[in-house]
Amino acid sequence: MTSLDPAVAARLKTDADGLVAAVVQDVDSRAVLMVGWMDPEALHRTLTTGRATFWSRSRGEYWVKGETSGHTLAVHEVRLDCDGDTVLVVASPAGPTCHTGATTCFDADRLL
C-alpha cells in the first residue's frame, strides 16, 4: 500500500510489473542523466523526501540515488507525462550520475 496522493495515483499508468519509467534531467544543463524505474511508493518517496528514489528490478528493492556513492540527485521538480506512464525528474546532480562514473548514462554511444 502506498501513500501516494490518490489524485496522482489515479493518473499513473504502470506496466504489468507496476512500474513507470523515470527520466532524470539536469536542472541546469537540461541533459538527460539517467533512466530508472518507479512504482507508486518510489514516486511517493521521491516527492516527499526530495531524494530520487527508484525500484531496482534486479535487486527487488528500493534505492535512493547516491545513498552509497554520495552522487545524489536533489530533486527540484517532478512531472508526469500526458499519458501518465513516464515520470520526469528534474534534479541537481552531486557528481556523476552514471554508475560508470560518466556525467550521464548517455555519454557512451551516439547512434545517429
Side-chain angles (χ1 to χ4, degrees):
M1 182 78 183
T2 181
S3 302
L4 186 62
D5 180 317
V8 175
R11 292 191 52 217
L12 199 61
K13 306 286 187 295
T14 60
D15 67 9
D17 295 321
L19 303 171
V20 295
V23 178
V24 180
Q25 183 180 44
D26 187 296
V27 69
D28 294 322
S29 71
R30 296 301 191 194
V32 175
L33 300 174
M34 64 170 283
V35 175
W37 295 94
M38 290 184 175
D39 66 358
E41 180 60 25
L43 179 56
H44 168 72
R45 292 179 186 192
T46 298
L47 293 171
T48 57
T49 66
R51 297 170 55 199
T53 304
F54 303 94
W55 176 255
S56 171
R57 296 178 300 168
S58 59
R59 294 188 310 261
E61 65 186 18
Y62 294 102
W63 62 279
V64 178
K65 178 67 179 140
E67 200 166 54
T68 56
S69 70
H71 301 153
T72 59
L73 293 169
V75 176
H76 291 263
E77 183 178 339
V78 178
R79 292 177 175 260
L80 192 56
D81 81 332
C82 59
D83 295 324
D85 62 1
T86 305
V87 173
L88 175 65
V89 178
V90 181
S92 293
T97 301
C98 187
H99 71 282
T100 66
T103 301
T104 87
C105 293
F106 296 95
D107 277 349
D109 295 317
R110 183 175 174 171
L111 302 178
L112 179 67

